[in-house]
Amino acid sequence: MILPIKKTYLLIIILGLISQANALELTSQRRAYFSTKLLGYLQDVQNSLGQNIKFTIEQKTQVNDNLSVLTQLKTSASSLAEDMSGKKNLTQDDLFSIYPGENYIKYKSAKWIAQVGFQEVVWGESYGLNYADIVNPKDLRETLYTDISDARYPLLLLNLKRFISLEQISGSIQLLYSPEPKFNKSLPIELLSKNIFPQSSIFVMPESRPRLFSQNEWGTKLSLTYLGYDLSFFTYKYLDRNPTYLLNSANANEIVLGENHHSIQSYGFSLAKTLDDFVLRSDVVLNQNQFFNYIDQLQLKEFYGSNLNALVSIDTPTYHDFSGALILAQSHLSTIIESAFRDQNEKYAIVKLSKSFFNDKSFDLSYTREFSRSGNSIQAVLNYPINQLTEIKLGGELYSGDPTSNFYRLKDVSNIFISLKNYIQL
Amino acid sequence: MKMILFLLISGFFNLLFALHAEITPNEIVKKADLKRGLGNISHSFNVTVTDQDNKREVFHVAFKDVNNTLTEQVEPERAKGRKLLMKDYDIWLFTPNIKKALRISFEQKLTGQVSNGDIARTNYAEDYDAQLQGIEKSNHGEVYRLELRAKNKKVTYGKIEYLVNKKDFTPLEATFYALSGKALKHATFSEFKMIQGISRSTKMEIVDNLQKSKFSTMIFSDHKAEKFNESLFNKESLEF
């Protein structure tokens, strides 16, 4: 948690009370959704069945024409960490968490927007693989194909946006300030490092989260729409959401790792353009001084370099209810060390196909190819809304490839699933 | 004196007939556009779309002018909050789960047989050049048969065959074609009601050209003159 838990709950209660009190006089909307997912693992893991349950409740209160308040509370229960083999050092947070979702006060005028509180800010033009989505930490246990909004953790932010409108140009300038960084939640380290430390149990000592105002994060984004082009330029200085690890202690059976989150600065550029009925998208992000792990004489060490991530994609028009997208992505490190935990160049291609039927139902197929180490992942999902409030998803996801590939490391997560999401009108 | 009066009156009517006879195809389309919406007046309205299975979706539309339209989905609950912004020939979709505005194309289906452009960009006179193919007799009396060709490749359809009542410029039917020339769907306009002093269509039924059993009905309601801030039609405000 980025705040001590009592303070977080206090914040929710205070905002909730404000919203509720105002709701007596003012326009307010309350809604909630409940989702549950049952997974059947395709590999031999500790538990053959897994589950993931989420509940979100929110209230929007309009104080006046300019001022509004959003209050959101989320809970999440996931058995994934427990289900994967070799996991012994579970914390309560690995299994169940209750946390503030987006909780903010918004002031909106004709030319300005100011938001203060816990928020999600999403940059970039692409979807499926979004290198530019750098602001919010995420729950990376959610695997490659989860709805990203479920995986994103709100960040305490001051978010200012000034709209621009100059004849044919429209856009905005955005300023972000966060007084308190927050980190990604990852899959169990054993799962990712199984082929590196095959004989030992691994325990991770998480880096304690910085105190309020002890580490500040800053960012800005300029967005422009001109002559059919969407362009944006952005930068963000922050603590790396992913950790690197250093060895704290080790014996024959047990390895204890310490987490580090180093400061990095990202510079990025995004573009989108309609070409007839096709849509071209591109995101390019340079992460300066990003740290990575490598092994030197059985010692876990760190090195750093600039990491350039670039993506280009094209969405096809709909033809006989079929639509598709092709995404090509590359991540390039300026320097590399032998036995590093990643390659200097990592290239991916993603093909997405979607067929809609009966108006609101669809079948989506995604295939991702990891070129550098021959990894594959595939997901098929049938989206089947059954009424105004409820949707069912049936599907499966499969990870495979060369044992050194990133996708092979996720092979234990391969599963078939059924999920149900129910929206509740309050 | 009577003769002069007669000449004046007959001259006046001749002039009227001549003017009517010389109305250009584009003017016919402009007049018919006014029977399908409030023209270029800043206003809001609701659109209820139902399909062949009686599934219902409701959208609220903020219409600033022909080049600035913001559509927000109101029903069903699971799709609430989806927004579609049209600005000139650009169109973006915001969905609450993705939390950012993504550029899309007009051709993409919004729901059922309804394309994004069917709600967001409905002024044919703005986007198409009309040619009069002839005047035909139908159940509605004499009708203009028009062929509307896209002024550029950015619009929703490559071609529209359009039937407009000759008497009062009421739009009757339209067949929509892709840029490739393929017939996509057929629409009929009906349920004309007096809105802001003009009889306007409040119902549009769209039938798939290949599978006639697939159709969508759009009901337009709650038209209200309303002023909007320019920033409402800025892509960057969709997330707020």
Side-chain angles (χ1 to χ4, degrees):
Chain A
M1 291 301 218
I2 59 170
L3 285 174
I5 199 155
K6 284 180 184 170
K7 284 188 182 174
T8 309
Y9 286 14
L10 190 63
L11 178 72
I12 294 165
I13 292 165
I14 290 168
L15 286 172
L17 286 174
I18 291 169
S19 296
Q20 184 61 30
N22 285 330
L24 297 172
E25 296 284 333
L26 305 162
T27 311
S28 72
Q29 286 184 329
R30 256 166 264 147
R31 63 192 305 227
Y33 78 79
F34 177 78
S35 75
T36 181
K37 185 176 183 182
L38 184 68
L39 307 102
Y41 297 112
L42 300 174
Q43 299 293 323
D44 185 21
V45 292
Q46 192 146 309
N47 298 320
S48 57
L49 291 175
Q51 58 180 315
N52 190 335
I53 298 168
K54 290 178 188 294
F55 180 72
T56 298
I57 184 166
E58 70 174 33
Q59 176 172 282
K60 282 181 193 169
T61 302
Q62 198 68 39
V63 179
N64 58 38
D65 285 349
N66 303 109
L67 197 65
S68 61
V69 178
L70 176 73
T71 313
Q72 197 178 63
L73 184 69
K74 292 188 170 194
T75 62
S76 168
S78 171
S79 68
L80 192 67
E82 193 180 22
D83 299 336
M84 294 299 111
S85 54
K87 187 66 186 164
K88 291 173 185 170
N89 54 336
L90 292 176
T91 64
Q92 189 195 351
D93 204 36
D94 285 326
L95 303 171
F96 175 79
S97 55
I98 178 166
Y99 57 98
E102 289 198 282
N103 285 273
Y104 57 77
I105 295 168
K106 173 167 73 182
Y107 180 83
K108 186 174 184 178
S109 75
K111 293 183 177 175
W112 280 93
I113 283 181
Q115 282 191 169
V116 183
F118 293 88
Q119 297 163 60
E120 294 177 22
V121 173
V122 190
W123 289 350
E125 293 291 347
S126 62
Y127 58 90
L129 183 61
N130 192 354
Y131 287 136
D133 188 359
I134 53 176
V135 178
N136 289 92
K138 292 161 199 78
D139 186 348
L140 298 182
R141 300 172 309 170
E142 295 281 352
T143 78
L144 201 60
Y145 298 108
T146 307
D147 189 343
I148 190 71
S149 66
D150 282 341
R152 211 179 276 121
Y153 289 118
L155 195 64
L156 184 58
L157 283 168
L158 169 64
N159 179 359
L160 300 173
K161 197 177 248 193
R162 170 76 157 89
F163 299 117
I164 301 167
S165 184
L166 298 165
E167 297 190 354
Q168 287 192 310
I169 300 175
S170 67
S172 71
I173 298 171
Q174 184 176 28
L175 293 171
L176 293 181
Y177 165 69
S178 175
E180 197 173 40
K182 205 173 170 186
F183 306 131
N184 289 342
K185 194 176 271 191
S186 303
L187 282 164
I189 185 81
E190 295 91 327
L191 195 69
L192 301 173
S193 63
K194 199 176 283 176
N195 51 353
I196 300 168
F197 305 108
Q199 304 302 324
S200 308
S201 294
I202 301 173
F203 292 86
V204 176
M205 304 293 289
E207 184 179 2
S208 56
R209 293 184 183 101
R211 295 175 69 85
L212 198 62
F213 297 110
S214 67
Q215 289 277 355
N216 299 311
E217 297 188 340
W218 296 91
T220 184
K221 184 176 84 147
L222 172 67
S223 303
L224 299 169
T225 295
Y226 179 63
L227 296 177
Y229 287 89
D230 295 335
L231 301 165
S232 70
F233 306 88
F234 53 86
T235 180
Y236 197 58
K237 188 171 175 17
Y238 57 109
L239 289 188
D240 198 342
R241 304 299 180 221
N242 287 316
T244 50
Y245 301 96
L246 288 177
L247 194 65
N248 275 7
S249 63
N251 59 39
N253 303 317
E254 187 179 289
I255 293 171
V256 180
L257 302 177
E259 264 187 14
N260 286 320
H261 292 268
H262 295 280
S263 178
I264 59 174
Q265 180 139 18
S266 295
Y267 300 92
F269 162 78
S270 289
L271 175 148
K273 170 83 176 125
T274 313
L275 303 167
D276 291 341
D277 288 330
F278 293 83
V279 183
L280 174 74
R281 306 176 197 280
S282 181
D283 290 330
V284 179
V285 180
L286 176 70
N287 300 321
Q288 276 197 329
N289 298 333
Q290 191 164 17
F291 280 71
F292 300 91
N293 277 119
Y294 71 102
I295 293 177
D296 181 26
Q297 296 176 336
L298 291 175
Q299 288 287 310
L300 200 55
K301 293 187 176 175
E302 294 176 329
F303 72 102
Y304 69 90
S306 293
N307 180 18
L308 181 68
N309 297 320
L311 175 152
V312 63
S313 74
I314 190 102
D315 298 356
T316 71
T318 308
Y319 186 75
H320 286 295
D321 294 328
F322 278 99
S323 60
L326 173 66
I327 302 166
L328 300 172
Q330 180 167 2
S331 178
H332 173 80
L333 273 183
S334 59
T335 54
I336 193 71
I337 290 177
E338 200 180 343
S339 74
F341 277 24
R342 60 156 286 172
D343 292 327
Q344 185 162 28
N345 281 304
E346 294 187 344
K347 294 180 185 176
Y348 298 92
I350 304 173
V351 179
K352 288 178 174 285
L353 291 172
S354 183
K355 159 80 175 160
S356 61
F357 57 96
F358 299 147
N359 186 9
D360 57 354
K361 296 163 186 65
S362 66
F363 179 74
D364 300 327
L365 190 67
S366 295
Y367 169 71
T368 306
R369 171 74 177 170
E370 178 192 350
F371 287 106
S372 48
R373 297 201 183 196
S374 302
N376 302 290
S377 79
I378 191 162
Q379 192 213 34
V381 181
L382 176 69
N383 300 288
Y384 202 95
I386 52 175
N387 58 38
Q388 297 279 82
L389 300 174
T390 309
E391 59 193 21
I392 287 179
K393 288 186 180 186
L394 285 166
E397 53 190 283
L398 186 68
Y399 300 89
S400 67
D402 185 273
T404 59
S405 68
N406 289 325
F407 286 148
Y408 181 83
R409 289 174 194 162
L410 293 171
K411 76 176 175 51
D412 284 353
V413 187
S414 299
N415 66 81
I416 53 170
F417 66 84
I418 178 168
S419 76
L420 188 141
K421 192 169 186 177
N422 190 46
Y423 293 82
I424 304 159
Q425 290 169 317
L426 299 169
Chain B
M1 184 63 190
K2 278 183 182 173
M3 181 61 81
I4 292 168
L5 196 62
F6 172 77
L7 286 173
L8 275 175
I9 291 170
S10 63
F12 174 73
F13 279 105
N14 280 339
L15 184 64
L16 267 185
F17 287 129
L19 281 175
H20 197 256
E22 285 173 16
I23 189 165
T24 65
N26 284 333
E27 284 169 335
I28 297 169
V29 176
K30 246 183 213 176
K31 285 175 184 288
D33 279 347
L34 281 174
K35 300 265 184 171
R36 294 189 301 111
L38 294 197
N40 216 7
I41 300 167
S42 182
H43 67 286
S44 66
F45 57 95
N46 290 333
V47 186
T48 304
V49 183
T50 45
D51 69 1
Q52 65 279 355
D53 301 321
N54 221 21
K55 280 175 201 143
R56 179 184 135 104
E57 298 192 43
V58 182
F59 303 88
H60 180 74
V61 182
F63 179 99
K64 184 167 182 281
D65 55 48
V66 290
N67 290 317
N68 290 280
T69 311
L70 177 65
T71 304
E72 183 166 358
Q73 189 150 10
V74 182
E75 289 181 32
E77 184 69 20
R78 59 184 160 72
K80 197 172 179 177
R82 275 208 308 168
K83 294 178 192 170
L84 196 69
L85 171 66
M86 187 278 296
K87 195 170 177 67
D88 299 319
Y89 291 108
D90 297 323
I91 191 161
W92 297 272
L93 176 70
F94 172 86
T95 51
N97 60 339
I98 294 179
K99 281 203 183 292
K100 64 180 173 184
L102 286 176
R103 177 176 282 268
I104 56 171
S105 69
F106 279 102
E107 160 274 347
Q108 284 183 329
K109 291 275 179 69
L110 180 69
T111 177
Q113 302 311 307
V114 183
S115 297
N116 296 325
D118 290 329
I119 288 183
R121 198 156 185 102
T122 57
N123 275 52
Y124 300 155
E126 190 78 12
D127 292 339
Y128 301 89
D129 277 323
Q131 280 191 336
L132 185 62
Q133 301 292 299
I135 298 172
E136 300 172 0
K137 297 222 162 157
S138 78
N139 297 339
H140 304 278
E142 284 193 312
V143 295
Y144 292 116
R145 177 172 285 280
L146 298 147
E147 184 179 284
L148 279 55
R149 290 271 176 189
K151 287 181 180 174
N152 59 58
K153 287 184 171 181
K154 295 172 181 173
V155 301
T156 317
Y157 305 108
K159 186 180 91 171
I160 302 174
E161 281 178 6
Y162 199 21
L163 292 182
V164 176
N165 196 319
K166 185 169 180 281
K167 188 178 156 195
D168 56 6
F169 304 103
T170 299
L172 301 170
E173 292 177 33
T175 307
F176 302 96
Y177 294 80
L179 288 167
S180 62
K182 181 188 152 206
L184 298 172
K185 53 198 184 186
H186 182 80
T188 52
F189 306 95
S190 60
E191 295 201 5
F192 289 83
K193 292 179 182 168
M194 289 302 283
I195 300 168
Q196 305 234 339
I198 296 179
S199 169
R200 304 179 205 259
S201 166
T202 60
K203 185 175 179 183
M204 182 177 176
E205 287 176 289
I206 304 175
V207 181
D208 186 280
N209 200 56
L210 290 177
Q211 295 171 269
K212 306 288 183 198
S213 60
K214 289 169 77 175
F215 66 88
S216 293
T217 304
M218 299 164 72
I219 303 284
F220 301 87
S221 63
D222 303 304
H223 293 80
K224 267 191 297 195
E226 199 174 337
K227 297 281 178 207
F228 305 104
N229 280 329
E230 176 71 31
S231 63
L232 189 68
F233 303 92
N234 188 319
K235 171 210 167 201
E236 294 297 313
S237 76
L238 284 178
E239 66 194 86
F240 292 99

